[in-house]
Amino acid sequence: MIRIQNALWEIRNWFRGITNAVADFLKNHKMGFLVNWPGWLKAIVFLAPALTLLGIFTFYPIVNAFRLVGFVGYRVIDGVEQATGYTVFGNFITVITEDNFILPSSHTQSSVLINTLIIVLISVPLSVIISLMVAVALNSIKPLRSFFQTIYFLPYVTNSIAIGLVFAYMFRSGNSGLVNRMLSVFGVDPITWIERGATFWKAMFVLLIYGTWGALAFKIMVFMTSIQGIDKQYYQAAAIDNTSKWRIFSKITVPLISPMIFYIVITSVIGAFKTYETVIAIFGNTGAPAGATYTLKTIVFYIYDYLNVSAPGNLSLAAASSIVLFAFILVLTLIQMQVGKKRIHY
Amino acid sequence: MELRLEHLTKVFTDKTGKETRAVDDLDIVITSGKLIALLGPSGCGKSTTLFMIAGLHKPTSGKIWFGEDEVTKLAPEKRGIGLVFQNYALYPHMTVRQNIMFPLENLRISRDEAISRMEEMAKLVGISELMERKPSQLSGGQQQRVAIARALVKKPRVLLLDEPLSNLDARLRLQMREEIKRIQRETGITTIFVTHDQEEAMSISDEMVVLNNGVKQQVEKPQIMYNHPINLFVAKFLGNPPINIFEGEVKQGMLYANEAPLGKVGAPDGQYHVGIRPEDFNIDANGFDVTITEIFHIGRDTLIHFQENGQDVRALVESDSIEEGVNHVKLSVKPAKIHLFEIESETVVAHD
């Protein structure tokens, strides 16, 4: 062991000798600028790979989206952009007034915006509260903690489409579905959850359960680590003062990890706004149970519909609706930041 | 309320099954209304003892009595104690007011009473004008006061302080020392405080308990313990600069260090550890002759170093009594100030 460490030490010295020799050589030949790079130049060099990728796959598409909104009848034929006209708000108006985007059309019960908001407003608070409870509970037990931690973390490392298929299987109609069979133990008649004839709220219920459960893993992990980071002495002090469990939770644990809760709420609101694969996984690309008079599509689902290759020419509408989505998320996040300023104890 | 520890023992077992006796068969009686210091070097089990009294650690064996009640198995919240942590453990998200109110909110008392108690306590510790601040906006000494107020506001039976002054700078430490003493006297609460600083313990406590490796060494009033240490450990632990220890021999009532006579002692003949505190040397024309190796002038006193039986010995003498440039001086020690310890057991040997 010591020999290896000695050898490593020698190798490191050897390399240091070489770098010093190169630096000396350059300095002696008036090329010192090659060694003494200014800090900002070094920063750019180190950031370059990440910036390149971000530029191609993030910044350019964002800018491009704002450009595409301006076109009417935009198409790319043989690599050449073509458009029949230009507009400023036209595409936004088309998207916003379209059936099923904001307002449900006459024969349906829901629109993509309503669906998305239901998912955001129900699954986010639910998953945050449940994961907080689970994290606190897991932190207070010693045996089997890592076992439960693994179980709760499984959804995070499992493919969400695969989980969706399992969920679809669990919620099958009649007595073949696992959920229905479990309910039958309590004397509940089989319920049609997600197949032909399922009502909107039953299908939505399955979607919410899946979304909430899938979001738990990461949150539990974050909350557990931040709770473990709290100084034990606060709890000892509270114990000596005969503080009830609930007061310890609400007056000590929650305030002390409030920056983390805030971070989780913001990111999961954004995440829930982007819900897409849960709908696909359970209902397929129709976005609703077979024969349903409503849709369970989300905003992102809607955007992808515009990108459908079999019906080209809607790229500008896709860009417009994604900017609308961006606006929703931005406004909501700004509101949260304002609320956060008053409620978060850093 | 009198507090008694009976055969209190705490054994920590690590993952490899190795046992550490942090506290070993501790028997202490703490008189009601007194300020007691648990003193010892780090790792001697003093904080463990405190946490066992608080109920945060479970004793391996032994009993803890609060007056007539045995509290050994009682949960911390049922013991009626106030604990001030080493780093205060003030809730960072609450104001001073909320921090002090926190224990009261768990009691079944009226809000009016809670507020009046809180204000009374804030006044006692002198933080009435800081009530709306957060702990991060307070200095170390102010945080310390808030922590004491929070511990005292629920009127505990015992106040426990874990190294209360270790996070403060030297000047503040002196000030808070006196503050703690004053608060303790005004409330008359039985107080136990843990420290590794012998000077701190000696200056404020009514009685000191010295621990070493989890074993009680001596329980005594500070000055008595200083003058009559029961063993070599206690002698070495108390005093700054520390006591001088060297080997000596008693022959026919005379103490010799390497054949040089030091003074008359009434101990049986034999080899001993000799302990003499630096300040107990006197310049005396009839004393024994020493060669000064180093000399430090520190204002009122002068610290001289010399060799005694191969050991470096320090003596603290009055600056006026030493002339500039001398390297020989005659010193004497009063027999009562010579401490003899047995070589093997290191316990003190009484002599006249």
Side-chain angles (χ1 to χ4, degrees), chain A residues 43-74:
Chain A
I44 286 182
V45 169
F46 286 127
L47 286 172
L51 281 179
T52 315
L53 288 174
L54 277 174
I56 295 171
F57 294 108
T58 306
F59 301 141
Y60 168 69
I62 290 173
V63 174
N64 200 32
F66 281 93
R67 192 177 66 92
L68 288 174
V69 197
F71 293 113
V72 180
Y74 177 86

PDB file of all heavy atoms in Angstrom, chain A residues 43-74:
ATOM      1  N   ALA A  43     -12.288  30.488 -17.476  1.00  0.00           N
ATOM      2  CA  ALA A  43     -13.685  30.156 -17.211  1.00  0.00           C
ATOM      3  C   ALA A  43     -14.390  29.782 -18.510  1.00  0.00           C
ATOM      4  O   ALA A  43     -15.107  28.776 -18.585  1.00  0.00           O
ATOM      5  CB  ALA A  43     -14.381  31.337 -16.544  1.00  0.00           C
ATOM      6  N   ILE A  44     -14.164  30.571 -19.550  1.00  0.00           N
ATOM      7  CA  ILE A  44     -14.831  30.302 -20.829  1.00  0.00           C
ATOM      8  C   ILE A  44     -14.409  28.953 -21.383  1.00  0.00           C
ATOM      9  O   ILE A  44     -15.240  28.159 -21.851  1.00  0.00           O
ATOM     10  CB  ILE A  44     -14.524  31.438 -21.830  1.00  0.00           C
ATOM     11  CG1 ILE A  44     -15.322  32.681 -21.438  1.00  0.00           C
ATOM     12  CG2 ILE A  44     -14.854  31.002 -23.259  1.00  0.00           C
ATOM     13  CD1 ILE A  44     -15.141  33.842 -22.370  1.00  0.00           C
ATOM     14  N   VAL A  45     -13.111  28.663 -21.285  1.00  0.00           N
ATOM     15  CA  VAL A  45     -12.631  27.385 -21.817  1.00  0.00           C
ATOM     16  C   VAL A  45     -13.293  26.217 -21.095  1.00  0.00           C
ATOM     17  O   VAL A  45     -13.756  25.260 -21.708  1.00  0.00           O
ATOM     18  CB  VAL A  45     -11.093  27.300 -21.694  1.00  0.00           C
ATOM     19  CG1 VAL A  45     -10.620  25.881 -21.998  1.00  0.00           C
ATOM     20  CG2 VAL A  45     -10.443  28.299 -22.627  1.00  0.00           C
ATOM     21  N   PHE A  46     -13.371  26.339 -19.762  1.00  0.00           N
ATOM     22  CA  PHE A  46     -13.955  25.228 -19.009  1.00  0.00           C
ATOM     23  C   PHE A  46     -15.462  25.121 -19.251  1.00  0.00           C
ATOM     24  O   PHE A  46     -16.026  24.034 -19.215  1.00  0.00           O
ATOM     25  CB  PHE A  46     -13.694  25.400 -17.514  1.00  0.00           C
ATOM     26  CG  PHE A  46     -12.271  25.115 -17.138  1.00  0.00           C
ATOM     27  CD1 PHE A  46     -11.516  26.022 -16.421  1.00  0.00           C
ATOM     28  CD2 PHE A  46     -11.673  23.922 -17.525  1.00  0.00           C
ATOM     29  CE1 PHE A  46     -10.202  25.756 -16.086  1.00  0.00           C
ATOM     30  CE2 PHE A  46     -10.365  23.632 -17.203  1.00  0.00           C
ATOM     31  CZ  PHE A  46      -9.620  24.562 -16.485  1.00  0.00           C
ATOM     32  N   LEU A  47     -16.113  26.253 -19.480  1.00  0.00           N
ATOM     33  CA  LEU A  47     -17.568  26.225 -19.660  1.00  0.00           C
ATOM     34  C   LEU A  47     -17.963  25.853 -21.083  1.00  0.00           C
ATOM     35  O   LEU A  47     -19.107  25.474 -21.324  1.00  0.00           O
ATOM     36  CB  LEU A  47     -18.160  27.599 -19.318  1.00  0.00           C
ATOM     37  CG  LEU A  47     -18.213  27.939 -17.837  1.00  0.00           C
ATOM     38  CD1 LEU A  47     -18.634  29.384 -17.640  1.00  0.00           C
ATOM     39  CD2 LEU A  47     -19.188  27.025 -17.107  1.00  0.00           C
ATOM     40  N   ALA A  48     -17.014  25.948 -22.009  1.00  0.00           N
ATOM     41  CA  ALA A  48     -17.343  25.802 -23.423  1.00  0.00           C
ATOM     42  C   ALA A  48     -18.142  24.543 -23.774  1.00  0.00           C
ATOM     43  O   ALA A  48     -19.169  24.651 -24.458  1.00  0.00           O
ATOM     44  CB  ALA A  48     -16.071  25.885 -24.254  1.00  0.00           C
ATOM     45  N   PRO A  49     -17.729  23.350 -23.327  1.00  0.00           N
ATOM     46  CA  PRO A  49     -18.502  22.158 -23.729  1.00  0.00           C
ATOM     47  C   PRO A  49     -19.958  22.244 -23.307  1.00  0.00           C
ATOM     48  O   PRO A  49     -20.869  21.996 -24.113  1.00  0.00           O
ATOM     49  CB  PRO A  49     -17.797  21.020 -22.993  1.00  0.00           C
ATOM     50  CG  PRO A  49     -16.460  21.537 -22.649  1.00  0.00           C
ATOM     51  CD  PRO A  49     -16.586  23.013 -22.486  1.00  0.00           C
ATOM     52  N   ALA A  50     -20.175  22.635 -22.050  1.00  0.00           N
ATOM     53  CA  ALA A  50     -21.549  22.713 -21.562  1.00  0.00           C
ATOM     54  C   ALA A  50     -22.323  23.793 -22.305  1.00  0.00           C
ATOM     55  O   ALA A  50     -23.481  23.586 -22.703  1.00  0.00           O
ATOM     56  CB  ALA A  50     -21.552  23.009 -20.063  1.00  0.00           C
ATOM     57  N   LEU A  51     -21.673  24.934 -22.518  1.00  0.00           N
ATOM     58  CA  LEU A  51     -22.346  26.038 -23.201  1.00  0.00           C
ATOM     59  C   LEU A  51     -22.722  25.655 -24.630  1.00  0.00           C
ATOM     60  O   LEU A  51     -23.801  26.008 -25.113  1.00  0.00           O
ATOM     61  CB  LEU A  51     -21.453  27.278 -23.214  1.00  0.00           C
ATOM     62  CG  LEU A  51     -21.426  28.078 -21.910  1.00  0.00           C
ATOM     63  CD1 LEU A  51     -20.491  29.265 -22.036  1.00  0.00           C
ATOM     64  CD2 LEU A  51     -22.826  28.558 -21.546  1.00  0.00           C
ATOM     65  N   THR A  52     -21.849  24.907 -25.310  1.00  0.00           N
ATOM     66  CA  THR A  52     -22.140  24.489 -26.679  1.00  0.00           C
ATOM     67  C   THR A  52     -23.413  23.657 -26.714  1.00  0.00           C
ATOM     68  O   THR A  52     -24.330  23.914 -27.500  1.00  0.00           O
ATOM     69  CB  THR A  52     -20.970  23.658 -27.233  1.00  0.00           C
ATOM     70  OG1 THR A  52     -19.762  24.313 -26.899  1.00  0.00           O
ATOM     71  CG2 THR A  52     -21.090  23.482 -28.728  1.00  0.00           C
ATOM     72  N   LEU A  53     -23.460  22.646 -25.830  1.00  0.00           N
ATOM     73  CA  LEU A  53     -24.628  21.768 -25.822  1.00  0.00           C
ATOM     74  C   LEU A  53     -25.890  22.543 -25.446  1.00  0.00           C
ATOM     75  O   LEU A  53     -26.942  22.392 -26.087  1.00  0.00           O
ATOM     76  CB  LEU A  53     -24.412  20.621 -24.837  1.00  0.00           C
ATOM     77  CG  LEU A  53     -23.394  19.575 -25.312  1.00  0.00           C
ATOM     78  CD1 LEU A  53     -23.136  18.552 -24.225  1.00  0.00           C
ATOM     79  CD2 LEU A  53     -23.895  18.879 -26.576  1.00  0.00           C
ATOM     80  N   LEU A  54     -25.780  23.389 -24.411  1.00  0.00           N
ATOM     81  CA  LEU A  54     -26.935  24.183 -24.003  1.00  0.00           C
ATOM     82  C   LEU A  54     -27.388  25.078 -25.142  1.00  0.00           C
ATOM     83  O   LEU A  54     -28.580  25.245 -25.397  1.00  0.00           O
ATOM     84  CB  LEU A  54     -26.582  25.041 -22.790  1.00  0.00           C
ATOM     85  CG  LEU A  54     -26.656  24.371 -21.424  1.00  0.00           C
ATOM     86  CD1 LEU A  54     -26.133  25.316 -20.349  1.00  0.00           C
ATOM     87  CD2 LEU A  54     -28.086  23.979 -21.105  1.00  0.00           C
ATOM     88  N   GLY A  55     -26.430  25.629 -25.840  1.00  0.00           N
ATOM     89  CA  GLY A  55     -26.751  26.527 -26.947  1.00  0.00           C
ATOM     90  C   GLY A  55     -27.547  25.824 -28.027  1.00  0.00           C
ATOM     91  O   GLY A  55     -28.579  26.325 -28.487  1.00  0.00           O
ATOM     92  N   ILE A  56     -27.068  24.631 -28.398  1.00  0.00           N
ATOM     93  CA  ILE A  56     -27.726  23.918 -29.500  1.00  0.00           C
ATOM     94  C   ILE A  56     -29.100  23.413 -29.088  1.00  0.00           C
ATOM     95  O   ILE A  56     -30.073  23.541 -29.823  1.00  0.00           O
ATOM     96  CB  ILE A  56     -26.843  22.739 -29.969  1.00  0.00           C
ATOM     97  CG1 ILE A  56     -25.542  23.288 -30.553  1.00  0.00           C
ATOM     98  CG2 ILE A  56     -27.588  21.877 -30.990  1.00  0.00           C
ATOM     99  CD1 ILE A  56     -24.519  22.219 -30.850  1.00  0.00           C
ATOM    100  N   PHE A  57     -29.173  22.839 -27.879  1.00  0.00           N
ATOM    101  CA  PHE A  57     -30.411  22.140 -27.525  1.00  0.00           C
ATOM    102  C   PHE A  57     -31.350  22.937 -26.628  1.00  0.00           C
ATOM    103  O   PHE A  57     -32.465  22.515 -26.374  1.00  0.00           O
ATOM    104  CB  PHE A  57     -30.080  20.795 -26.867  1.00  0.00           C
ATOM    105  CG  PHE A  57     -29.406  19.846 -27.815  1.00  0.00           C
ATOM    106  CD1 PHE A  57     -28.062  19.549 -27.680  1.00  0.00           C
ATOM    107  CD2 PHE A  57     -30.106  19.277 -28.869  1.00  0.00           C
ATOM    108  CE1 PHE A  57     -27.433  18.695 -28.558  1.00  0.00           C
ATOM    109  CE2 PHE A  57     -29.491  18.427 -29.753  1.00  0.00           C
ATOM    110  CZ  PHE A  57     -28.149  18.129 -29.611  1.00  0.00           C
ATOM    111  N   THR A  58     -30.904  24.054 -26.077  1.00  0.00           N
ATOM    112  CA  THR A  58     -31.787  24.825 -25.205  1.00  0.00           C
ATOM    113  C   THR A  58     -31.978  26.261 -25.692  1.00  0.00           C
ATOM    114  O   THR A  58     -33.097  26.686 -25.954  1.00  0.00           O
ATOM    115  CB  THR A  58     -31.254  24.833 -23.758  1.00  0.00           C
ATOM    116  OG1 THR A  58     -31.049  23.493 -23.352  1.00  0.00           O
ATOM    117  CG2 THR A  58     -32.238  25.498 -22.818  1.00  0.00           C
ATOM    118  N   PHE A  59     -30.865  26.998 -25.814  1.00  0.00           N
ATOM    119  CA  PHE A  59     -31.006  28.421 -26.136  1.00  0.00           C
ATOM    120  C   PHE A  59     -31.539  28.629 -27.556  1.00  0.00           C
ATOM    121  O   PHE A  59     -32.458  29.408 -27.784  1.00  0.00           O
ATOM    122  CB  PHE A  59     -29.669  29.154 -25.956  1.00  0.00           C
ATOM    123  CG  PHE A  59     -29.133  29.047 -24.563  1.00  0.00           C
ATOM    124  CD1 PHE A  59     -27.784  28.877 -24.324  1.00  0.00           C
ATOM    125  CD2 PHE A  59     -29.991  29.117 -23.467  1.00  0.00           C
ATOM    126  CE1 PHE A  59     -27.295  28.768 -23.032  1.00  0.00           C
ATOM    127  CE2 PHE A  59     -29.512  29.017 -22.176  1.00  0.00           C
ATOM    128  CZ  PHE A  59     -28.155  28.831 -21.965  1.00  0.00           C
ATOM    129  N   TYR A  60     -30.962  27.888 -28.520  1.00  0.00           N
ATOM    130  CA  TYR A  60     -31.425  28.075 -29.891  1.00  0.00           C
ATOM    131  C   TYR A  60     -32.904  27.749 -30.041  1.00  0.00           C
ATOM    132  O   TYR A  60     -33.663  28.541 -30.619  1.00  0.00           O
ATOM    133  CB  TYR A  60     -30.564  27.257 -30.865  1.00  0.00           C
ATOM    134  CG  TYR A  60     -31.160  27.186 -32.244  1.00  0.00           C
ATOM    135  CD1 TYR A  60     -31.202  28.340 -33.049  1.00  0.00           C
ATOM    136  CD2 TYR A  60     -31.735  26.019 -32.731  1.00  0.00           C
ATOM    137  CE1 TYR A  60     -31.772  28.307 -34.300  1.00  0.00           C
ATOM    138  CE2 TYR A  60     -32.316  25.985 -33.984  1.00  0.00           C
ATOM    139  CZ  TYR A  60     -32.337  27.128 -34.771  1.00  0.00           C
ATOM    140  OH  TYR A  60     -32.917  27.106 -36.001  1.00  0.00           O
ATOM    141  N   PRO A  61     -33.382  26.588 -29.509  1.00  0.00           N
ATOM    142  CA  PRO A  61     -34.818  26.295 -29.633  1.00  0.00           C
ATOM    143  C   PRO A  61     -35.700  27.367 -28.992  1.00  0.00           C
ATOM    144  O   PRO A  61     -36.771  27.683 -29.521  1.00  0.00           O
ATOM    145  CB  PRO A  61     -34.969  24.961 -28.908  1.00  0.00           C
ATOM    146  CG  PRO A  61     -33.633  24.340 -29.006  1.00  0.00           C
ATOM    147  CD  PRO A  61     -32.641  25.462 -28.941  1.00  0.00           C
ATOM    148  N   ILE A  62     -35.252  27.937 -27.878  1.00  0.00           N
ATOM    149  CA  ILE A  62     -36.075  28.967 -27.228  1.00  0.00           C
ATOM    150  C   ILE A  62     -36.210  30.177 -28.151  1.00  0.00           C
ATOM    151  O   ILE A  62     -37.319  30.659 -28.432  1.00  0.00           O
ATOM    152  CB  ILE A  62     -35.453  29.393 -25.878  1.00  0.00           C
ATOM    153  CG1 ILE A  62     -35.568  28.262 -24.864  1.00  0.00           C
ATOM    154  CG2 ILE A  62     -36.141  30.649 -25.344  1.00  0.00           C
ATOM    155  CD1 ILE A  62     -34.838  28.528 -23.569  1.00  0.00           C
ATOM    156  N   VAL A  63     -35.068  30.623 -28.651  1.00  0.00           N
ATOM    157  CA  VAL A  63     -35.092  31.773 -29.555  1.00  0.00           C
ATOM    158  C   VAL A  63     -35.921  31.442 -30.791  1.00  0.00           C
ATOM    159  O   VAL A  63     -36.748  32.236 -31.256  1.00  0.00           O
ATOM    160  CB  VAL A  63     -33.646  32.163 -29.938  1.00  0.00           C
ATOM    161  CG1 VAL A  63     -33.648  33.261 -30.993  1.00  0.00           C
ATOM    162  CG2 VAL A  63     -32.883  32.596 -28.707  1.00  0.00           C
ATOM    163  N   ASN A  64     -35.718  30.238 -31.299  1.00  0.00           N
ATOM    164  CA  ASN A  64     -36.414  29.814 -32.514  1.00  0.00           C
ATOM    165  C   ASN A  64     -37.922  29.787 -32.311  1.00  0.00           C
ATOM    166  O   ASN A  64     -38.688  30.136 -33.218  1.00  0.00           O
ATOM    167  CB  ASN A  64     -35.895  28.441 -32.941  1.00  0.00           C
ATOM    168  CG  ASN A  64     -36.190  28.177 -34.400  1.00  0.00           C
ATOM    169  OD1 ASN A  64     -36.207  29.114 -35.205  1.00  0.00           O
ATOM    170  ND2 ASN A  64     -36.432  26.929 -34.740  1.00  0.00           N
ATOM    171  N   ALA A  65     -38.351  29.377 -31.106  1.00  0.00           N
ATOM    172  CA  ALA A  65     -39.783  29.329 -30.827  1.00  0.00           C
ATOM    173  C   ALA A  65     -40.387  30.718 -30.978  1.00  0.00           C
ATOM    174  O   ALA A  65     -41.444  30.887 -31.585  1.00  0.00           O
ATOM    175  CB  ALA A  65     -40.027  28.785 -29.424  1.00  0.00           C
ATOM    176  N   PHE A  66     -39.675  31.715 -30.418  1.00  0.00           N
ATOM    177  CA  PHE A  66     -40.183  33.085 -30.528  1.00  0.00           C
ATOM    178  C   PHE A  66     -40.198  33.559 -31.984  1.00  0.00           C
ATOM    179  O   PHE A  66     -41.003  34.391 -32.365  1.00  0.00           O
ATOM    180  CB  PHE A  66     -39.340  34.031 -29.662  1.00  0.00           C
ATOM    181  CG  PHE A  66     -39.703  33.971 -28.212  1.00  0.00           C
ATOM    182  CD1 PHE A  66     -39.037  33.123 -27.349  1.00  0.00           C
ATOM    183  CD2 PHE A  66     -40.751  34.747 -27.719  1.00  0.00           C
ATOM    184  CE1 PHE A  66     -39.389  33.047 -26.015  1.00  0.00           C
ATOM    185  CE2 PHE A  66     -41.100  34.681 -26.392  1.00  0.00           C
ATOM    186  CZ  PHE A  66     -40.420  33.822 -25.536  1.00  0.00           C
ATOM    187  N   ARG A  67     -39.293  33.002 -32.802  1.00  0.00           N
ATOM    188  CA  ARG A  67     -39.257  33.383 -34.222  1.00  0.00           C
ATOM    189  C   ARG A  67     -40.417  32.719 -34.967  1.00  0.00           C
ATOM    190  O   ARG A  67     -41.112  33.363 -35.757  1.00  0.00           O
ATOM    191  CB  ARG A  67     -37.920  32.924 -34.809  1.00  0.00           C
ATOM    192  CG  ARG A  67     -37.603  33.485 -36.178  1.00  0.00           C
ATOM    193  CD  ARG A  67     -36.229  33.011 -36.600  1.00  0.00           C
ATOM    194  NE  ARG A  67     -36.176  31.573 -36.798  1.00  0.00           N
ATOM    195  CZ  ARG A  67     -36.396  30.972 -37.977  1.00  0.00           C
ATOM    196  NH1 ARG A  67     -36.671  31.685 -39.048  1.00  0.00           N
ATOM    197  NH2 ARG A  67     -36.334  29.659 -38.081  1.00  0.00           N
ATOM    198  N   LEU A  68     -40.638  31.438 -34.633  1.00  0.00           N
ATOM    199  CA  LEU A  68     -41.643  30.662 -35.369  1.00  0.00           C
ATOM    200  C   LEU A  68     -43.053  31.210 -35.173  1.00  0.00           C
ATOM    201  O   LEU A  68     -43.910  31.076 -36.046  1.00  0.00           O
ATOM    202  CB  LEU A  68     -41.603  29.192 -34.933  1.00  0.00           C
ATOM    203  CG  LEU A  68     -40.386  28.400 -35.398  1.00  0.00           C
ATOM    204  CD1 LEU A  68     -40.394  27.012 -34.780  1.00  0.00           C
ATOM    205  CD2 LEU A  68     -40.380  28.287 -36.920  1.00  0.00           C
ATOM    206  N   VAL A  69     -43.316  31.830 -33.987  1.00  0.00           N
ATOM    207  CA  VAL A  69     -44.654  32.325 -33.707  1.00  0.00           C
ATOM    208  C   VAL A  69     -45.076  33.359 -34.741  1.00  0.00           C
ATOM    209  O   VAL A  69     -46.261  33.577 -34.969  1.00  0.00           O
ATOM    210  CB  VAL A  69     -44.717  32.973 -32.304  1.00  0.00           C
ATOM    211  CG1 VAL A  69     -46.128  33.114 -31.834  1.00  0.00           C
ATOM    212  CG2 VAL A  69     -43.919  32.175 -31.329  1.00  0.00           C
ATOM    213  N   GLY A  70     -44.107  33.981 -35.368  1.00  0.00           N
ATOM    214  CA  GLY A  70     -44.417  35.065 -36.294  1.00  0.00           C
ATOM    215  C   GLY A  70     -44.908  34.618 -37.658  1.00  0.00           C
ATOM    216  O   GLY A  70     -45.343  35.438 -38.457  1.00  0.00           O
ATOM    217  N   PHE A  71     -44.827  33.332 -37.948  1.00  0.00           N
ATOM    218  CA  PHE A  71     -45.166  32.859 -39.299  1.00  0.00           C
ATOM    219  C   PHE A  71     -46.601  32.383 -39.396  1.00  0.00           C
ATOM    220  O   PHE A  71     -47.175  31.879 -38.434  1.00  0.00           O
ATOM    221  CB  PHE A  71     -44.254  31.703 -39.706  1.00  0.00           C
ATOM    222  CG  PHE A  71     -42.816  32.121 -39.889  1.00  0.00           C
ATOM    223  CD1 PHE A  71     -41.838  31.665 -39.022  1.00  0.00           C
ATOM    224  CD2 PHE A  71     -42.446  32.954 -40.952  1.00  0.00           C
ATOM    225  CE1 PHE A  71     -40.515  32.043 -39.193  1.00  0.00           C
ATOM    226  CE2 PHE A  71     -41.127  33.320 -41.119  1.00  0.00           C
ATOM    227  CZ  PHE A  71     -40.157  32.866 -40.244  1.00  0.00           C
ATOM    228  N   VAL A  72     -47.168  32.515 -40.601  1.00  0.00           N
ATOM    229  CA  VAL A  72     -48.438  31.863 -40.921  1.00  0.00           C
ATOM    230  C   VAL A  72     -48.138  30.828 -41.989  1.00  0.00           C
ATOM    231  O   VAL A  72     -47.406  31.110 -42.939  1.00  0.00           O
ATOM    232  CB  VAL A  72     -49.477  32.880 -41.451  1.00  0.00           C
ATOM    233  CG1 VAL A  72     -50.793  32.175 -41.782  1.00  0.00           C
ATOM    234  CG2 VAL A  72     -49.712  33.980 -40.435  1.00  0.00           C
ATOM    235  N   GLY A  73     -48.663  29.619 -41.800  1.00  0.00           N
ATOM    236  CA  GLY A  73     -48.466  28.565 -42.790  1.00  0.00           C
ATOM    237  C   GLY A  73     -47.007  28.194 -42.984  1.00  0.00           C
ATOM    238  O   GLY A  73     -46.534  27.985 -44.095  1.00  0.00           O
ATOM    239  N   TYR A  74     -46.288  28.101 -41.856  1.00  0.00           N
ATOM    240  CA  TYR A  74     -44.855  27.801 -41.899  1.00  0.00           C
ATOM    241  C   TYR A  74     -44.629  26.332 -42.255  1.00  0.00           C
ATOM    242  O   TYR A  74     -45.281  25.438 -41.728  1.00  0.00           O
ATOM    243  CB  TYR A  74     -44.251  28.112 -40.543  1.00  0.00           C
ATOM    244  CG  TYR A  74     -42.787  27.778 -40.421  1.00  0.00           C
ATOM    245  CD1 TYR A  74     -41.813  28.682 -40.809  1.00  0.00           C
ATOM    246  CD2 TYR A  74     -42.383  26.548 -39.899  1.00  0.00           C
ATOM    247  CE1 TYR A  74     -40.475  28.392 -40.683  1.00  0.00           C
ATOM    248  CE2 TYR A  74     -41.049  26.247 -39.773  1.00  0.00           C
ATOM    249  CZ  TYR A  74     -40.084  27.183 -40.171  1.00  0.00           C
ATOM    250  OH  TYR A  74     -38.770  26.867 -40.044  1.00  0.00           O
TER     251      TYR A  74
END
